[in-house]
Amino acid sequence: MKYTFTIFLLLVFKAGFSQKVEKTKLYIIGTVHESSEILNPKMLFDILDVIKPDILLQENDTEQIANYFKEIRPNSNEQGASLLYLKKYPKTLNLPFEFEGRNGYRKENGMTPTDNLTVKLLDSLYQKKALDRNNIAIYEKYLDANQALLGFMKRDFKSLNSIEFETLNRYRQNIQHHELPKITNSEELFAKRFVVKPNGEKISYRLGYQLWCNFWDMRNNTMALNIVKTANVHKGKTIVILTGVQHKYYIKELLEKYYDGNYELVDYFK
């Protein structure tokens, strides 16, 4: 009887082990969107061909993915590399993980073009020495961080995916989205300049820029949750996430925050 019970336990253990599904492997590749000396579609394809993912996750929404083979962008690293990979491995899934309707959402809510107009005005006021001392200090931190990031563009693609870059980029993005609004909220001119939204309403540079900064957090959270959802639907698969390099640090942090035990992050560049 004891022998029979032992055999039964071994069979149960073996059955449970055989049914265990491996964790989904998530590779996050931080890209630059336009082809350049540091990255081109063939270089990115070669990386994909080494990883051999079952799924490509694109920084696109469902509408953009539906038109992926129709609206060709010749200089797009992600699209060019993906089309080469999908041609070689036609069973690969090509899926979106972007905030749905991102561009329209920003435009309808007045986040664009107030984002660019605000930064241009900020720079103009700085050049004219029209900002107060505290605001000058904030803006100069922003300029210095931008200059440091540009230095990475003279290195190589691996450097853009390094911890060193992520650390610097996190610092720069924090200034852009959380410190520059301190300037726009304290300088009255940003409350007196307006753009007109598609619905005809006016919105100030101050409010539009603040909304744009808030959207940075909302967008990255949405993208991370979409990735988690895909990882759970396609358990045990290998997924490559192609995202702009400035998002990489944020998405990594959020995937660690939302970790549910069903996936593992794999660093291709180590």
Side-chain angles (χ1 to χ4, degrees):
M1 184 70 179
K2 183 177 179 181
Y3 176 77
T4 304
F5 183 68
T6 301
I7 295 295
F8 172 75
L9 287 178
L10 287 172
L11 290 173
V12 170
F13 176 78
K14 184 177 180 180
F17 184 79
S18 64
Q19 291 174 9
K20 184 178 178 180
V21 178
E22 291 186 9
K23 291 182 180 181
T24 306
K25 290 183 172 61
L26 298 179
Y27 290 81
I28 307 177
I29 307 294
T31 67
V32 287
H33 297 312
E34 298 294 320
S35 180
S36 65
E37 290 184 5
I38 201 169
L39 182 68
N40 60 48
K42 179 59 168 59
M43 292 165 63
L44 185 54
F45 165 77
D46 288 341
I47 292 174
L48 296 178
D49 206 21
V50 170
I51 299 172
K52 291 186 170 50
D54 305 296
I55 299 168
L56 298 176
L57 273 185
Q58 307 284 355
E59 195 178 301
N60 299 135
D61 63 16
T62 51
E63 182 178 354
Q64 290 169 320
I65 288 295
N67 294 315
Y68 204 77
F69 297 95
K70 301 174 186 176
E71 298 177 2
I72 305 299
R73 293 159 287 144
N75 292 323
S76 169
N77 284 320
E78 297 92 335
Q79 188 181 44
S82 296
L83 291 177
L84 289 171
Y85 188 81
L86 292 166
K87 182 177 181 180
K88 184 172 182 179
Y89 305 102
K91 293 183 179 180
T92 305
L93 296 179
N94 190 47
L95 302 175
F97 73 97
E98 177 61 278
F99 181 99
E100 285 295 326
R102 173 200 63 200
N103 294 333
Y105 183 83
R106 290 191 294 202
K107 187 174 182 180
E108 289 166 9
N109 287 278
M111 302 174 196
T112 57
T114 50
D115 54 344
N116 290 329
L117 292 173
T118 297
V119 174
K120 286 181 181 178
L121 180 55
L122 261 174
D123 195 67
S124 175
L125 294 174
Y126 172 75
Q127 298 298 335
K128 295 175 182 177
K129 304 185 186 304
L131 297 173
D132 72 28
R133 185 172 58 184
N134 291 333
N135 290 338
I136 287 173
I138 292 173
Y139 194 67
E140 286 182 343
K141 282 198 303 181
Y142 176 67
L143 294 177
D144 290 344
N146 279 337
Q147 196 62 37
L149 286 179
L150 287 174
F152 277 85
M153 298 304 296
K154 299 175 183 177
R155 300 191 193 182
D156 54 32
F157 187 50
K158 182 177 180 179
S159 296
L160 279 182
N161 281 269
S162 66
I163 296 298
E164 182 185 3
F165 179 88
E166 287 180 21
T167 301
L168 176 60
N169 189 41
R170 181 186 297 104
Y171 171 73
R172 184 263 188 191
Q173 297 295 76
N174 182 68
I175 296 172
Q176 183 173 33
H177 296 98
H178 299 287
E179 293 200 46
L180 291 190
K182 295 177 182 177
I183 302 177
T184 58
N185 288 333
S186 62
E187 300 280 350
E188 281 303 310
L189 187 56
F190 293 94
K192 298 177 180 178
R193 295 282 182 93
F194 298 88
V195 299
V196 179
K197 297 191 293 184
N199 65 3
E201 294 179 354
K202 291 199 306 182
I203 186 170
S204 68
Y205 285 19
R206 173 182 290 176
L207 178 56
Y209 187 73
Q210 184 64 67
L211 291 173
W212 181 79
C213 290
N214 295 346
F215 184 61
W216 171 250
D217 297 313
M218 183 193 302
R219 182 184 173 198
N220 281 284
N221 270 276
T222 300
M223 292 196 293
L225 290 171
N226 286 340
I227 293 168
V228 173
K229 184 187 299 183
T230 302
N232 276 277
V233 171
H234 301 280
K235 290 181 180 179
K237 300 297 185 180
T238 297
I239 300 176
V240 166
I241 303 154
L242 296 174
T243 187
V245 71
Q246 290 189 319
H247 292 279
K248 184 180 177 182
Y249 79 92
Y250 206 158
I251 290 175
K252 280 177 62 178
E253 290 176 359
L254 290 170
L255 289 176
E256 290 170 0
K257 175 182 177 181
Y258 299 138
Y259 180 66
D260 60 4
N262 289 314
Y263 56 83
E264 63 174 310
L265 300 179
V266 185
D267 191 343
Y268 168 81
F269 296 93
K270 279 190 176 179

